[in-house]
Amino acid sequence: MTSPSDLLYTQEEEAVRSAVRSLLADRCDPAALPARAESDRPHDRELWKALTEGMGLAGLLVPEERGGQGATHREAAVVLEELGRAVAPVPYLTSAVIATEALLGCGGEAADLLAALASGRTVGALAVPFATAPGAAFPSARYADGVLHGEVTGVADAAAADVLLVPSDSGLFAVDTGRGGVTVTALTSLDRTRPLAAVTLGAAPARLLTTDAAAAVRRGLRAGAGLLASEQLGLAEWCLTETVRHTKERHQFNRPVGSFQALKHRLAQVWLDVVNTRAVARHAADALATGSDEPDLATALAQAYASPVAVRAAEEALQLHGGIGMTWEHPVHLALKRAKADSIALGTAGRHKEALAGLVALPPP
Amino acid sequence: MTDAAELRRRTREFLAAHPPAATGRDAFLKARFDAGLAWVHYPEGLGGLGAPRTLQAVVDAELEAAGAPDNDPRRIGIGLGMAAPTILGFGTEEQKRRFLRPLWAGEEVWCQLFSEPGAGSDLAALGTRAVREGDTWVVTGQKVWTSSAHLARWAILIARTDPDVPKHRGITYFVCDMSDPGVEVRPLRQITGEAEFNEVFLTGVRIPDAHRIGEVGDGWRVAQTTLMNERVSIGGARLPREGGMIEPLARTWRERPELRTHDLHQRLLTLWVEAEVARLTGERLRQQLVAGQPGPEGSGMKLGFARLNQAISGLEVELLGQEGLLYDDWTMRRPEGVDFFGRGAGYRYLRAKGNSIEGGTSEVLLNIVAERVLGLPPEPRTDKDVAWKDLAR
């Protein structure tokens, strides 16, 4: 039996949480989110600036000598809990976690870009479909004579990215979206707070980051999947808290609806699911941070468990808010859309269970 | 003030004076009690030293390393976990001196006479009557789900002493002598074929007033202490991965490829994930307690395990297919504890059904989580201000 991972929050992690939470309370009003999601600029640039340039949070995974904050996945997970709670429209998971982690798997060629992403002034996106699980196949561009050709669709936050990390047959390349040869077309997405886009590369100038694209992509997606569980935890917690508040206040049949046993049992069950999700999300974050207790296993376990919990919490929240939950004004639909999209992102729960079957020697028939 | 180093020194001195290999089991346990090393948080003279409860681990580690006999907490669980803290909290000095030492040493086994056929989750509705005759109480009624009653010397008992007041107020708490001629213990055979529990019939049982614990009519409050301690003692063990009910299921899956189907595989993986997550939640709870940050998470652990044990053992029977149609043994037995891993899958499946009832039904525990953890409003109560005798039954 390996020594158990540290599943609690440290004081430093709690300090990060309270700083992020109070910033989000000021700058990310749930009531304003639906309007923003409908606008041409779904990403909140000002909020991103406050989180990154103001608080240095984009560089948590990057060592200080490489231009980052020298923290770990444990702190980044806490940031994601808070961003998940707010369904915040910022490219944190895609740029500060997935793209950054992919760059950490590259050599010296990636140094400048890594530091730029860590500062938050440059936003990066890994150009693979958002549904790709760690270790799964992904589209690959063709490289010849310093330029890339290819198409990839369903890339999360590509519309907000300054740089795309593009896997090709010759390795992983960096492509600046501001230069010629790159077309990023926004897609109408289920979750408009983390919109998808199609990327077309027609002789796009590119620079090589590493020849082993598969390893870098896998590393990026694994960190993304492991920490996505923390976003799902925050989201599920928000759904529970809001629904408890609502059912205590809302009266029907001359009683608060929260006093009906049928509702209480459902909310108690969501609470139990959230308690479990916290343990498994912390386990994944700790395994990624320390490399102990098999990060592949911890990540697959976390995604197999947290995805359905977040969806269930959001669905219960919607149902228990009654008609109010079906309206555009109430933010619960944003949580549901994020939760459902998250359940497909970076591999479905079923895909991660299949991976687990191999990792824990429970083979299929 | 006793610290860890001081306790370690005391324990080593005790071991030197009473070498486990050369001291009889009973003599060793009694001497340990007298040395204050039984439960260090109890007062001096009652098996303890008035030390912080957490320091018991220091003593236990030293004793275990020295190969000392333990007091078989499994056999004396009810006395240890429920009767002792209640007697300590509410008993007279005389009661403490009479009962705690033989209880702790396992010389006298205890059982618990709380539940009744008509009062399970609604425990305070109980109807067993205790009527005062001078210095004696005469008790008549029926109790159920009593483990160890056939082995017990003593029982903790709650009975109705005033039917004319609302149900929570007319209850009194007693120690009942199981050798009284009015006590009849009958095995209660369960769905597993075993009789792990008993029914207890009380007919004119005479309990001296000196065996009353707490004030007349204050039994409900005293029982809360007992029940709180029961819940504390459930759960808390540290398991390795695949350490629980999932182990025999995973083993069968690995060893018997011919039984595998795609549907069973999907369900196995889902339950494997849930079992591992539940294990991590237990680990996180343990880390919280060690760090001095107890949270409400423990309230949910039993709920989760009950559901999971039932689902896992149910799948195990199904995986076995044709063999799942067989049962290992229906012989009526009287086991001293639950033997989940010494028996077949069918036994595990049937016995696990009790996990969502014993120690509080899942429905009641969900209410507790909803009201005490989430702060949801209670359901309206219609029994609060009605005399017990006027309640519908």
Side-chain angles (χ1 to χ4, degrees), chain A residues 37-266:
Chain A
E38 250 184 319
S39 73
D40 293 342
R41 302 198 58 198
H43 290 103
D44 189 336
R45 292 272 174 186
E46 292 306 308
L47 178 61
W48 177 251
K49 212 171 162 184
L51 288 165
T52 58
E53 291 175 40
M55 299 171 72
L57 298 177
L60 289 180
L61 301 184
V62 180
E64 284 180 53
E65 65 274 16
R66 302 180 77 178
Q69 302 293 316
T72 72
H73 302 79
R74 293 177 54 94
E75 289 81 5
V78 171
V79 174
L80 278 166
E81 277 184 36
E82 295 307 311
L83 295 176
R85 194 190 301 273
V87 199
V90 287
Y92 193 85
L93 181 72
T94 44
S95 183
V97 177
I98 299 174
T100 297
E101 186 82 24
L103 289 175
L104 285 165
C106 300
E109 287 76 12
D112 289 349
L113 186 50
L114 188 61
L117 257 54
S119 75
R121 280 187 285 273
T122 298
V123 171
L126 181 63
V128 301
F130 196 38
T132 313
F138 48 83
S140 189
R142 296 178 312 283
Y143 179 77
D145 303 327
V147 294
L148 285 172
H149 292 271
E151 281 173 30
V152 47
T153 190
V155 180
D157 289 336
D162 306 300
V163 181
L164 296 170
L165 310 184
V166 184
S168 82
D169 43 11
S170 305
L172 187 68
F173 286 84
V175 173
D176 294 332
T177 54
R179 296 179 62 183
V182 188
T183 314
V184 176
T185 311
L187 301 172
T188 307
S189 305
L190 176 65
D191 172 15
R192 297 165 85 169
T193 64
R194 185 148 57 211
L196 306 182
V199 173
T200 307
L201 304 167
R207 57 185 192 284
L208 183 68
L209 299 167
T210 175
T211 53
D212 191 353
V217 169
R218 186 189 183 103
R219 180 172 170 169
L221 295 179
R222 186 179 71 178
L227 296 194
L228 180 61
S230 290
E231 177 178 302
Q232 289 163 324
L233 166 64
L235 186 147
E237 251 196 326
W238 179 85
C239 290
L240 175 63
T241 308
E242 282 303 299
T243 310
V244 166
R245 195 176 55 73
H246 174 77
T247 55
K248 275 169 153 171
E249 289 167 3
R250 170 82 172 166
H251 280 65
Q252 300 277 271
F253 308 103
N254 198 33
R255 284 162 62 178
V257 295
S259 70
F260 288 95
Q261 194 174 58
L263 270 63
K264 285 157 100 164
H265 284 194
R266 287 166 66 170

Side-chain angles (χ1 to χ4, degrees), chain B residues 66 82 102 105 107 114 179 215 230 284 286 316 320 350 376:
Chain B
M82 302 177 81
E107 203 175 8
F114 281 17
S179 69
E215 299 303 313
E230 179 188 29
R284 184 164 196 278
R286 204 193 57 78
E316 193 188 353
L320 288 169
L350 295 174
L376 288 166

Side-chain angles (χ1 to χ4, degrees), chain A residues 4-5 7 9 244 247-248 255 259 261 264-265 271-272 275-276 278 293 301 353 356 360-363 365, chain B residues 238 241 253-254 261 265 270 272-273 276 280-281 283-284 287 296 300 363 367 369 371 375-377 379-380:
Chain A
S5 50
L7 303 174
Y9 299 104
V244 166
T247 55
K248 275 169 153 171
R255 284 162 62 178
S259 70
Q261 194 174 58
K264 285 157 100 164
H265 284 194
W271 178 79
L272 290 170
V275 164
N276 284 329
R278 189 182 311 288
D293 201 24
L301 182 77
K353 272 187 260 184
L356 265 182
V360 303
L362 293 170
Chain B
R238 193 165 177 180
R241 183 172 289 156
W253 183 269
R254 291 183 185 117
T261 70
H265 192 231
T270 299
W272 194 94
V273 165
E276 176 63 3
L280 289 170
T281 299
E283 175 60 28
R284 184 164 196 278
Q287 290 181 10
E363 288 68 24
N367 280 351
V369 166
E371 291 175 15
L376 288 166
E379 297 222 36

Side-chain angles (χ1 to χ4, degrees), chain B residues 1 12 58 64 68 71 82 104 134 142 177 191 193 227 230 247 282 300 302 323 325 361:
Chain B
M1 184 66 196
R12 286 180 183 166
V58 175
E64 199 188 326
N71 60 345
M82 302 177 81
W104 189 86
Q142 184 191 343
D177 183 344
I191 58 175
L227 296 172
E230 179 188 29
E247 192 275 333
K302 178 186 173 289
E323 287 164 53
L325 295 173
T361 62

Side-chain angles (χ1 to χ4, degrees), chain B residues 60-323:
Chain B
D60 292 347
E62 290 293 321
L63 292 170
E64 199 188 326
D70 81 6
N71 60 345
D72 196 356
R74 187 164 123 150
R75 184 162 180 273
I76 63 168
I78 292 167
L80 207 59
M82 302 177 81
T86 310
I87 293 169
L88 183 72
F90 292 91
T92 61
E93 281 310 304
E94 200 185 333
Q95 288 167 345
K96 292 177 199 170
R97 296 204 179 272
R98 166 61 189 87
F99 293 123
L100 291 178
R101 190 170 182 260
L103 181 161
W104 189 86
E107 203 175 8
E108 292 178 344
V109 172
W110 285 68
C111 66
Q112 183 238 95
L113 297 174
F114 281 17
S115 295
E116 298 186 4
S121 291
D122 186 9
L123 182 59
L126 60 87
T128 292
R129 288 295 313 274
V131 178
R132 191 163 192 156
E133 285 182 11
D135 275 348
T136 303
W137 295 85
V138 181
V139 181
T140 299
Q142 184 191 343
K143 298 287 179 173
V144 75
W145 300 122
T146 319
S147 38
S148 305
H150 56 300
L151 308 169
R153 172 71 177 81
W154 298 104
I156 43 178
L157 162 77
I158 46 179
R160 185 151 313 276
T161 45
D162 187 353
D164 297 322
V165 294
K167 62 182 182 181
H168 291 92
R169 284 195 259 138
I171 295 171
T172 303
Y173 199 114
F174 300 96
V175 169
C176 172
D177 183 344
M178 293 296 283
S179 69
D180 189 283
V183 177
E184 189 201 343
V185 177
R186 294 186 204 158
L188 178 63
R189 201 173 182 197
Q190 298 147 241
I191 58 175
T192 55
E194 295 181 339
E196 199 189 311
F197 301 103
N198 301 277
E199 294 179 291
V200 179
F201 295 82
L202 307 164
T203 314
V205 175
R206 301 185 72 80
I207 298 181
D209 190 54
H211 284 182
R212 170 169 51 79
I213 309 244
E215 299 303 313
V216 174
D218 201 27
W220 184 250
R221 192 168 68 93
V222 180
Q224 290 307 305
T225 298
T226 311
L227 296 172
M228 239 162 54
N229 279 284
E230 179 188 29
R231 295 211 174 109
V232 166
S233 64
I234 292 176
R238 193 165 177 180
L239 292 175
R241 183 172 289 156
E242 287 188 15
M245 292 280 243
I246 196 77
E247 192 275 333
L249 174 61
R251 180 159 33 89
T252 303
W253 183 269
R254 291 183 185 117
E255 290 172 358
R256 306 278 304 274
E258 76 281 7
L259 298 174
R260 298 174 191 163
T261 70
H262 285 286
D263 168 59
L264 291 168
H265 192 231
Q266 294 302 311
R267 290 157 64 196
L268 166 71
L269 291 173
T270 299
L271 292 174
W272 194 94
V273 165
E274 288 182 19
E276 176 63 3
V277 173
R279 187 183 74 84
L280 289 170
T281 299
E283 175 60 28
R284 184 164 196 278
L285 181 63
R286 204 193 57 78
Q287 290 181 10
Q288 278 181 289
L289 293 173
V290 169
Q293 318 159 354
E297 287 82 352
S299 326
M301 290 298 290
K302 178 186 173 289
L303 274 166
F305 275 118
R307 200 192 52 74
L308 202 52
N309 283 349
Q310 292 171 359
I312 292 171
S313 57
L315 183 62
E316 193 188 353
V317 172
E318 205 177 321
L319 170 64
L320 288 169
Q322 187 66 26
E323 287 164 53

Side-chain angles (χ1 to χ4, degrees), chain B residues 11-77:
Chain B
T11 310
R12 286 180 183 166
E13 272 176 23
F14 172 76
L15 283 163
H18 304 85
T23 314
R25 178 188 156 83
D26 285 2
F28 183 90
L29 292 174
K30 285 177 190 166
R32 181 178 158 191
F33 185 93
D34 297 337
L37 299 172
W39 32 42
V40 297
H41 59 291
Y42 274 42
E44 288 191 49
L46 296 173
L49 297 166
R53 189 179 190 137
T54 46
L55 290 181
Q56 184 66 42
V58 175
V59 175
D60 292 347
E62 290 293 321
L63 292 170
E64 199 188 326
D70 81 6
N71 60 345
D72 196 356
R74 187 164 123 150
R75 184 162 180 273
I76 63 168

